Amino acid sequence: MPTLPSPLAPLEQDDFHFDSMGTTEDMTRYCPGGYHPVAVGNIFHGNNGAYRIMHKLGFGSYATVWLAQKTGASEGFVALKITTSESQGSTEAEMLSEVARMPRTLERSHVLTLLDTFEHRGPNGVHSGLVTDVVVPLLSLNPFKRPPAWRKSAAYGLAQAVAQLHAAGIVHGDLHLGNTGIAIPQLSAQDPCDVMQDLPAYELTVVLPVNAAHQTPSLPPYVVAPCDLAAYYDSVADDAEPEMKLFDFGDAHKAGALPSRFQCAQEACAPEVVFALVVEHIDNPPVEPPADVWALGATIYEIFTGSPLFRGVGLGGLPKSMASMSATLPLAWKAWCDSAPRPCSSPDAWWTERRERIRGAYADDRDADALLALLERILVLDPAERPSAAEIVQDPWFMIWM
């Protein structure tokens, strides 16, 4: 007779009858220190009200995010992020609160708005709850298939978001396309019953361990696939300008301080950070405002072309590729490039290819040339030579068609 695994042993996917096939968070992470088990209809009590879970919005390594309805007199929809108990949601809340305390210079904030925070104790530990406005992930809207004017408006809002952050003395630290979204102010005008009818039906995967001894309170009854909020947005937004929002502040930190945990999406990682990681072998390098500016440029490029700056290049190959795009190299880069096994390439071919991709996304050469000029200002290896986010907001490219 085979020996059954211990109920205390970490579960693997093979320990479950059903697999969500990557459409949800990893159900093996429902364990002490991990995700909090959530079911549709659960009510969470915050400091500013109570919130009923209505649908799933998304998930990540450190949290699940839910569409929730405020209960009581002021009903409305919000997003509720519930962190794993081992992560520090308080850091994200602190950074968002810091931005909110800054005097408002814009008509609307382009940074996610923090509405409430609380702690919730469950079978897997104590979790942070962060209540914010609802946003649609930009990637789900296929921005590179939208009209150029729509994309420029999104890029402008993103530049304003970075300028807003930096004015508060905060570095985002992990800015990339996956951490950007579009607000849905139209949601507040919709009847809640209509909203729930118009959202896609739930896609559930039952969480059923093979071994009955593993069926503990740590597990939810099912996991939920995120709903397609992009389709709903298109049905209510009509031709409204996109209201850009920057989110996911788990890696944000004060300028001049090291991040508490380093994480950087490869497609938007700044050259000085890549050089420190790959060449100098520094595990937790400084990430300062110019790194956000590089990431802003890389994200704008991807919004317009549908392609990252360096497609198919692993982290180890990034220094060589980055050196190939620049006519002038910082001293440390020049010494490294001169000693490299093969010489670094000329930047002409690199920029020629990017120019062709940008112009392929435009019918207007004047506008394409203005965008290219902005990207050439931003995408330089020396962080000291990059413009500030506040300067980027004033760039001539944003004045065309605006």
Side-chain angles (χ1 to χ4, degrees), residues 298-346:
T299 303
I300 292 174
Y301 175 84
E302 192 168 354
I303 287 173
F304 272 84
T305 66
S307 173
L309 282 173
F310 304 100
R311 181 182 290 280
V313 179
L315 183 65
L318 272 178
K320 179 70 68 176
S321 296
M322 288 174 162
S324 298
M325 64 178 285
S326 181
T328 58
L329 300 176
L331 287 177
W333 283 77
K334 190 174 187 310
W336 169 78
C337 199
D338 288 345
S339 64
R342 42 197 181 93
C344 296
S345 308
S346 161

Side-chain angles (χ1 to χ4, degrees), residues 4-8 11 15-17 207-219:
L4 292 176
S6 165
L8 300 177
L11 295 177
D15 293 322
F16 294 91
H17 279 294
V207 178
L208 187 65
V210 174
N211 179 3
H214 288 148
Q215 197 82 50
T216 70
S218 287
L219 300 175

Side-chain angles (χ1 to χ4, degrees), residues 12-165:
E12 298 180 0
Q13 191 54 58
D14 289 344
D15 293 322
F16 294 91
H17 279 294
F18 307 109
D19 188 342
S20 61
M21 307 300 289
T23 60
T24 72
E25 66 277 12
D26 180 358
M27 62 180 69
T28 68
R29 295 282 311 283
Y30 283 98
C31 59
Y35 298 119
H36 175 66
V38 176
V40 174
N42 284 168
I43 295 178
F44 291 85
H45 296 274
N47 294 307
N48 298 330
Y51 310 94
R52 182 167 62 131
I53 300 298
M54 304 299 284
H55 216 312
K56 181 80 155 288
L57 293 179
F59 61 90
S61 301
Y62 300 100
T64 54
V65 186
W66 303 84
L67 180 67
Q69 186 181 30
K70 293 185 289 184
T71 64
S74 58
E75 290 188 351
F77 289 100
V78 295
L80 173 54
K81 182 175 187 176
I82 304 174
T83 69
T84 58
S85 64
E86 65 190 0
S87 63
Q88 296 295 318
S90 58
T91 301
E92 185 167 9
E94 179 187 342
M95 296 296 103
L96 289 173
S97 297
E98 193 76 25
V99 175
R101 282 193 288 269
M102 288 290 293
R104 178 69 64 85
T105 57
L106 301 172
E107 181 182 348
R108 61 176 71 97
S109 173
H110 291 281
V111 174
L112 199 66
T113 303
L114 185 66
L115 305 171
D116 197 358
T117 62
F118 59 89
E119 287 190 342
H120 181 83
R121 183 175 296 278
N124 295 329
V126 178
H127 307 261
S128 294
L130 287 79
V131 182
T132 68
D133 43 347
V134 179
V135 299
V136 187
L138 189 61
L139 273 174
S140 69
L141 290 164
N142 292 322
F144 21 87
K145 295 184 178 178
R146 305 269 166 171
W150 193 98
R151 284 178 277 171
K152 175 182 283 191
S153 183
Y156 185 57
L158 184 57
Q160 289 177 301
V162 177
Q164 191 180 347
L165 268 191

